[in-house]
Amino acid sequence: MRLTFVTTNTGKANEVKSLLKPLGIEIDVRAIKLTEIQSDSLEEIAMRSCEEAHEILKEPVFVEDAGLFIERLNGFPGPYSSYVYRTIGVAGILKLMEYEENRAAHFKSCIACKLSREPPVLFSGVCVGRISHEPRGLSGFGFDPIFIPEEGDGRTFAEMSVEEKNAVSHRGKSVRLLAEWLRLMR
Ligand code: ITT
């Protein structure tokens, strides 16, 4: 079965490929910009994007919507992470958190996969951690330089290899669930 991952984010695509390849699942990546509906729910955004991707490509597809939720900012930027990253960026988030002692945050990943005419199936993963006081590291993408996962040794995601990040990340968890389900569907 051929499966297409629709994303414009090459960082995401690399992580997903690196997770699925060792499990024998080869994917095609298509950089199609889908309509991102305004919603507080990553699940709803992923479902709608997945339906749209399937309508365009008419083949088995999946999409992923992810976000960074900062406790002290009531879950901001959450579903708006992509926009916030493009506008105020890492520096803007650090500024908002400047005098905050509570730096708790989590990343959430939500995958929607549609193989046939059935509605998309959802898989999600969460990674709990905290916001660093300064950016550290050069790998990864987005907010990786300021996120320190709890299940780690104090390094930010951007100081880890793709494999190290995948072992504990929100995306690692959602993609492993997707892979398990695909195995059952074969
Ligand atoms: P697609 O929708 O085309 O897949 P995107 O980058 O717009 O690409 P999202 O809507 O899911 O993807 O945006 C989530 C944003 O949250 C993303 O642009 C990053 O800035 C941030 N983000 C998500 N996952 C991340 C991760 O693992 N590490 C760092 N930042 C992440």
Side-chain angles (χ1 to χ4, degrees):
M1 180 212 305
R2 286 216 76 83
L3 186 58
T4 301
F5 179 28
V6 178
T7 180
T8 57
N9 184 321
T10 51
K12 272 188 192 182
N14 287 341
E15 290 176 15
V16 171
K17 276 189 193 159
S18 148
L19 280 156
L20 291 178
K21 196 148 190 234
L23 302 174
I25 304 169
E26 295 275 353
I27 54 165
D28 294 319
V29 174
R30 294 283 300 268
I32 302 171
K33 190 73 208 155
L34 301 165
T35 326
E36 223 168 76
I37 58 152
Q38 291 262 338
S39 167
D40 285 343
S41 150
L42 294 182
E43 285 81 1
E44 199 184 341
I45 299 169
M47 286 283 255
R48 298 280 285 273
S49 302
C50 185
E51 292 281 15
E52 190 187 355
H54 191 264
E55 222 168 276
I56 297 170
L57 295 173
K58 299 187 171 43
E59 61 186 21
V61 289
F62 71 98
V63 301
E64 191 238 22
D65 206 66
L68 173 65
F69 296 75
I70 302 176
E71 197 172 289
R72 204 64 189 83
L73 304 179
N74 296 321
F76 181 83
Y80 310 103
S81 294
S82 181
Y83 175 73
V84 169
Y85 179 73
R86 280 185 276 116
T87 50
I88 64 170
V90 162
I93 292 291
L94 285 180
K95 184 86 190 145
L96 289 174
M97 293 293 288
E98 202 170 2
Y99 301 107
E100 292 301 345
E101 273 183 25
N102 173 8
R103 307 194 70 84
H106 68 268
F107 266 116
K108 185 171 175 186
S109 155
C110 187
I111 290 175
C113 181
K114 186 171 166 89
L115 302 181
S116 59
R117 259 181 263 168
E118 303 290 310
V121 180
L122 289 171
F123 306 92
S124 44
V126 169
C127 178
V128 173
R130 64 180 198 276
I131 303 298
S132 62
H133 287 273
E134 69 291 309
R136 291 200 315 262
L138 296 172
S139 22
F141 66 96
F143 297 111
D144 280 347
I146 55 167
F147 185 81
I148 303 170
E150 199 172 82
E151 266 184 90
D153 54 9
R155 280 178 297 159
T156 65
F157 270 164
E159 292 177 300
M160 298 180 177
S161 64
V162 173
E163 292 76 19
E164 286 173 321
K165 179 181 169 185
N166 278 341
V168 297
S169 78
H170 48 307
R171 188 163 298 106
K173 290 170 186 154
S174 61
V175 171
R176 281 191 289 274
L177 291 174
L178 167 72
E180 234 168 80
W181 179 74
L182 287 171
R183 201 166 48 83
L184 296 173
M185 296 302 289
R186 270 181 189 172

